[in-house]
Amino acid sequence: MFPDSEAIFDAHEFTDMKVLVVEDEKGLAESIVDYLSKEGFVCEVANTFWQADEKISLYQYDCTIVDLTLPDGDGFNIVQTLKKIAAATGIIIISARNTLEDKIKGLEIGSDDYMTKPFHLSELNARVKSLIRRRNFGGNNDMVWKEIRVQLPSRKVFIDEKDTVLSRKEYDLLLYFLSNIDVALTKEAIAEHLWGDHMDSSDSLDMVYSHIKNLRRKILEKGGKDYIQSIYGIGYKFTAP
Amino acid sequence: MKLLEKTSRIYLLASLVIYVAVGIAFYWITTFMIYDEVESRLMVEKRDFESYLQTNNTWTNNSYFVENKIEVVPVFGEFENEATFTDTLIYNRYEESMDPFRQLTFYTMIGGSPYRVAIRKSIVESYKLIEAISAAMITFLALLMVGMFFFQRNLSGKLWRPFYGSLARIKDFDWTRNNKLEFESSEISEFNELNEVMVKMASKMQHDYKSLREFTENASHEIQTPLALINARVEQFIQSQDLSENQTHWIEEIYHAARRMSRLNQGLLLLAKIENQQFTEQESIDLAALIIARLKDFEDIITHKNITIHTETKGSFVKKMSPALAEIMVTNLVSNAIKHNYTDGKLTILTGNNFFVLSNTGHELKADPERLFERFKKESAQAESVGLGLAIVKQICDNYELHIDYRNVDSLHSIRVFA
């Protein structure tokens, strides 16, 4: 829209963004906090409903991750309160409840996303980032890393400023990598990100392999470096060589 | 047959039998009375006749009159001297008809020789009387019967009204909701007892439904949360640079085991929810269209495996069912047909009036086809597969009275779902 004034962010675009994690399982909350902190987020934890209620009334967060089942209350109420007092906060529900009704209810009362447990931290990370981008920049900014630039609204990819045509899944895959730079991603996490969790066959892992091969080839063809590193037995990592 | 109709029929039949019996008895009694009367009068005339003979010792046949006709005929040879009553018909010369008469025949001596004497009395008037009485009786009995019929119908309707009210409430009762089953109290204690029992049963059903529902929700939370923790810790663990090959292998196994457990748990809980009929929402769903729509989700894998899709539509299969369960059923079937397919294989979707068939190429079944829809029947040794997909489909079919069967036609695995 305004090419001159377009903000260009590097991988640390999320530094100092504040995230509240509402989760009663302490280990899981800790894992989420560790993972997101490495990505530059400033994280706080609430283990109970009342702690969460207090924190959201005192502080401003860019994103809140809410578990629905809390020992002393219902996560849905936190979502409702947040919508009332801090409408700018992005909300992601994480819950073991996987019924369609719960998902619809969650989205209806104002959460931006709904993830069912167990989920991949890399997926949560990607969704938190995408949510903040949408909320803060209306999704109008570019994602830039080294010689790779992704124009989010038009879904265009430039390598070394050269227009690179990617298939829909290759584009999704690149974006997932760019949201999880320097992070080892399992093949299963990638497959789930691309096709959802109904594809639980070995075929989907083959497909991950072939998409990665294509993406790597296309980046190399346009003069980019090979950033996709295979990790034996586990998956892949997008990192500077 | 409705209760009211049944009682009406029984009443009608019973009263008809009684009506006929009463009619016959009445007719018989009246006839008997009339005969008795006529015969006693004939006996009186016989005595008159005999006393006339005693004084005059002679008799002239005067056969001009129809009534009180006395016929005297001389007899020759042997005879049994006894008096008998018989019915006879005499020609009525004015009305040109045969009229019924009662006749008393006896023997007597006139002027020294034996004569047979027959005294007759017309009973045509009596027959007219019987007819009149019968007609009146038929009319009154019929009126009585019709009246009683409507009375008892009305009465039964009133008496059973609380019962029908209760029945309507029981039909409307939905144990998946919180509304209690309530009845209006009736004057009849049997109905009140029935209502009490129904209320007890209904609240037990609601309680069971609710506790199973809560159990599935809690079990889901309590199991999925630790699994989420394992998953998260594994993800963090694999970030470290210096993992040995062994450690990588172990961690991979832990990761896969946790994923499998999570799928297993979700599958079993889904089965429990379907069995508990927790999916109450209902919509008319075009299953053929749904299959085609779901195929789109598998576009990538279909291209990847180079599977040829062939669809043929011969009719529509619209079923009223939960949209969520319809999705699960169709997704599981399509996923199954693709997962167990060869590369360069085929998938045929045939839909017709109230059925659809998914046929796919694939390895021959190792297990008994009969047991294909049982839980934990795995065809592949894939670590990720938990063997609940078809069991879930079967359970959904059972819930909606759909049938499912497997056939192997021309080395194609065909699963047919039909109403």
Side-chain angles (χ1 to χ4, degrees), chain B residues 8-27:
Chain B
S8 294
R9 277 192 196 188
I10 291 173
Y11 175 81
L12 217 57
L13 204 73
S15 49
L16 210 67
V17 168
I18 293 169
Y19 184 27
V20 169
V22 166
I24 291 170
F26 197 82
Y27 178 81

Side-chain angles (χ1 to χ4, degrees), chain B residues 56-100:
Chain B
N56 299 335
N57 204 22
T58 177
W59 178 262
T60 17
N61 258 343
N62 188 348
S63 56
Y64 183 77
F65 299 101
V66 174
E67 290 286 333
N68 294 328
K69 194 174 181 181
I70 299 171
E71 191 181 62
V72 180
V73 184
V75 271
F76 309 98
E78 285 186 8
F79 58 88
E80 265 184 77
N81 189 9
E82 58 177 6
T84 49
F85 288 106
T86 45
D87 279 328
T88 181
L89 290 172
I90 304 284
Y91 184 73
N92 180 332
R93 70 183 85 100
Y94 299 113
E95 285 173 23
E96 293 183 349
S97 64
M98 302 297 281
D99 285 343

Side-chain angles (χ1 to χ4, degrees), chain A residues 27-28 30-31 34 96 99 117-118 120-122 169 184 186 188 192 195 200 203 207 232-233 237, chain B residues 220-221 224-225 229 233 235-236 239 241 248 252 255-256 259 262-263 273 300-301 304-305 339 384:
Chain A
L28 187 58
E30 198 186 294
S31 284
D34 282 356
T99 61
K117 288 178 184 177
H120 290 100
L121 291 175
S122 49
K169 293 292 170 191
T186 62
E188 288 81 2
E192 257 184 53
W195 295 289
D200 56 341
D203 296 315
M207 283 156 65
Y232 174 76
K237 186 194 265 190
Chain B
S220 167
H221 178 253
Q224 296 297 89
T225 301
L229 178 59
R233 288 307 192 197
E235 260 192 278
Q236 287 181 291
Q239 303 309 327
Q241 305 288 337
T248 310
E252 201 194 339
Y255 178 63
H256 283 143
R259 280 172 64 82
S262 154
R263 281 178 194 288
K273 280 185 199 171
D300 284 329
I301 194 162
H304 178 76
K305 288 184 95 168
K339 195 158 64 180
E384 303 274 313

Side-chain angles (χ1 to χ4, degrees), chain A:
Chain A
M1 272 174 151
F2 308 101
D4 299 331
S5 62
E6 216 169 58
I8 295 182
F9 289 86
D10 60 13
H12 296 292
E13 62 180 301
F14 299 106
T15 308
D16 296 335
M17 290 285 179
K18 285 175 77 181
V19 175
L20 175 65
V21 179
V22 185
E23 166 63 62
D24 62 322
E25 181 78 21
K26 290 207 170 81
L28 187 58
E30 198 186 294
S31 284
I32 295 170
V33 169
D34 282 356
Y35 199 97
L36 293 181
S37 300
K38 279 196 189 133
E39 298 288 317
F41 292 103
V42 176
C43 299
E44 279 188 51
V45 177
N47 290 125
T48 63
F49 180 85
W50 292 113
Q51 267 180 34
D53 201 51
E54 193 185 315
K55 278 190 197 280
I56 57 172
S57 56
L58 290 177
Y59 310 107
Q60 281 276 333
Y61 297 95
D62 296 288
C63 181
T64 310
I65 297 164
V66 189
D67 182 11
L68 287 185
T69 319
L70 295 166
D72 55 345
D74 191 343
F76 280 131
N77 293 334
I78 294 175
V79 177
Q80 276 163 334
T81 315
L82 265 172
K83 276 283 137 195
K84 246 182 266 159
I85 60 170
T89 308
I91 304 163
I92 295 177
I93 289 175
I94 49 171
S95 173
R97 296 189 215 158
N98 63 352
T99 61
L100 199 64
E101 292 125 67
D102 281 321
K103 286 177 194 173
I104 290 170
K105 188 182 173 195
L107 297 177
E108 266 175 5
I109 61 168
S111 83
D112 299 278
D113 213 336
Y114 192 107
M115 294 176 78
T116 357
K117 288 178 184 177
F119 50 81
H120 290 100
L121 291 175
S122 49
E123 182 68 34
L124 177 65
N125 178 37
R127 292 202 192 185
V128 170
K129 284 179 176 177
S130 142
L131 176 57
I132 291 179
R133 249 187 234 118
R134 276 207 314 270
R135 297 211 143 235
N136 290 9
F137 316 109
N140 258 333
N141 61 329
D142 284 6
M143 260 175 104
V144 177
W145 192 75
K146 308 278 184 194
E147 66 269 28
I148 302 168
R149 183 163 68 89
V150 180
Q151 236 174 40
L152 293 171
S154 60
R155 295 175 69 94
K156 274 190 170 170
V157 177
F158 299 92
I159 313 282
D160 248 351
E161 291 310 312
K162 276 175 282 187
D163 196 349
T164 309
V165 181
L166 297 183
S167 74
R168 197 160 50 87
K169 293 292 170 191
E170 285 158 11
Y171 174 85
D172 289 345
L173 182 60
L174 178 64
L175 229 59
Y176 194 47
F177 275 136
L178 288 177
S179 300
N180 288 291
I181 283 166
D182 276 332
V183 173
L185 299 172
T186 62
K187 287 169 284 192
E188 288 81 2
I190 296 172
E192 257 184 53
H193 177 76
L194 294 182
W195 295 289
D197 60 358
H198 61 271
M199 298 276 251
D200 56 341
S201 66
S202 60
D203 296 315
S204 61
L205 302 183
D206 288 351
M207 283 156 65
V208 168
Y209 173 75
S210 81
H211 278 97
I212 288 202
K213 210 174 65 182
N214 291 339
L215 179 63
R216 180 187 275 145
R217 180 175 51 79
K218 285 182 179 175
I219 294 174
L220 288 174
E221 267 173 9
K222 297 285 173 178
K225 291 198 185 75
D226 184 9
Y227 297 114
I228 306 173
Q229 184 191 324
S230 307
I231 312 166
Y232 174 76
I234 289 171
Y236 303 91
K237 186 194 265 190
F238 202 78
T239 183

Side-chain angles (χ1 to χ4, degrees), chain B residues 79-294:
Chain B
F79 58 88
E80 265 184 77
N81 189 9
E82 58 177 6
T84 49
F85 288 106
T86 45
D87 279 328
T88 181
L89 290 172
I90 304 284
Y91 184 73
N92 180 332
R93 70 183 85 100
Y94 299 113
E95 285 173 23
E96 293 183 349
S97 64
M98 302 297 281
D99 285 343
F101 279 78
R102 192 70 173 155
Q103 174 177 293
L104 172 63
T105 314
F106 62 95
Y107 299 87
T108 189
M109 303 293 280
I110 304 174
S113 45
Y115 285 84
R116 188 179 69 211
V117 184
I119 307 175
R120 296 171 193 143
K121 211 163 180 57
S122 169
I123 46 175
V124 69
E125 296 306 319
S126 309
Y127 271 109
K128 279 187 181 149
L129 189 67
I130 289 178
E131 269 166 27
I133 290 173
S134 297
M137 204 183 71
I138 286 169
T139 317
F140 287 127
L141 272 181
L143 280 176
L144 185 70
M145 200 172 86
V146 170
M148 283 303 284
F149 174 74
F150 283 107
F151 174 73
Q152 77 84 28
R153 204 181 159 85
N154 213 327
L155 180 72
S156 305
K158 277 213 179 92
L159 283 178
W160 286 97
R161 189 172 296 150
F163 174 80
Y164 285 109
S166 302
L167 195 66
R169 281 172 192 235
I170 294 166
K171 273 190 193 160
D172 278 345
F173 174 67
D174 182 355
W175 65 87
T176 62
R177 295 182 195 282
N178 267 333
N179 303 344
K180 284 226 173 302
L181 182 63
E182 273 168 355
F183 296 107
E184 274 163 29
S185 73
S186 132
E187 285 175 1
I188 297 159
S189 59
E190 281 89 341
F191 288 156
N192 284 336
E193 274 173 45
L194 179 74
N195 291 351
E196 270 170 43
V197 174
M198 289 311 298
V199 164
K200 266 189 206 155
M201 278 169 65
S203 74
K204 173 85 176 109
M205 272 163 82
Q206 275 177 324
H207 179 263
D208 287 355
Y209 171 78
K210 214 173 142 207
S211 59
L212 194 55
R213 193 191 170 103
E214 274 166 13
F215 169 77
T216 53
E217 273 164 17
N218 294 341
S220 167
H221 178 253
E222 297 306 326
I223 296 172
Q224 296 297 89
T225 301
L227 287 171
L229 178 59
I230 295 174
N231 245 10
R233 288 307 192 197
V234 164
E235 260 192 278
Q236 287 181 291
F237 196 72
I238 57 171
Q239 303 309 327
S240 56
Q241 305 288 337
D242 44 2
L243 289 178
S244 74
E245 202 173 303
N246 262 345
Q247 284 170 326
T248 310
H249 182 61
W250 295 337
I251 205 76
E252 201 194 339
E253 279 188 331
I254 292 172
Y255 178 63
H256 283 143
R259 280 172 64 82
R260 235 175 88 191
M261 188 119 125
S262 154
R263 281 178 194 288
L264 196 64
N265 180 44
Q266 278 170 349
L268 287 173
L269 288 177
L270 179 61
L271 274 171
K273 280 185 199 171
I274 301 169
E275 271 175 10
N276 195 30
Q277 309 197 338
Q278 270 168 245
F279 296 87
T280 49
E281 206 189 326
Q282 293 220 328
E283 273 175 33
S284 290
I285 289 167
D286 183 349
L287 291 173
L290 189 63
I291 295 174
I292 307 298
R294 285 298 134 254

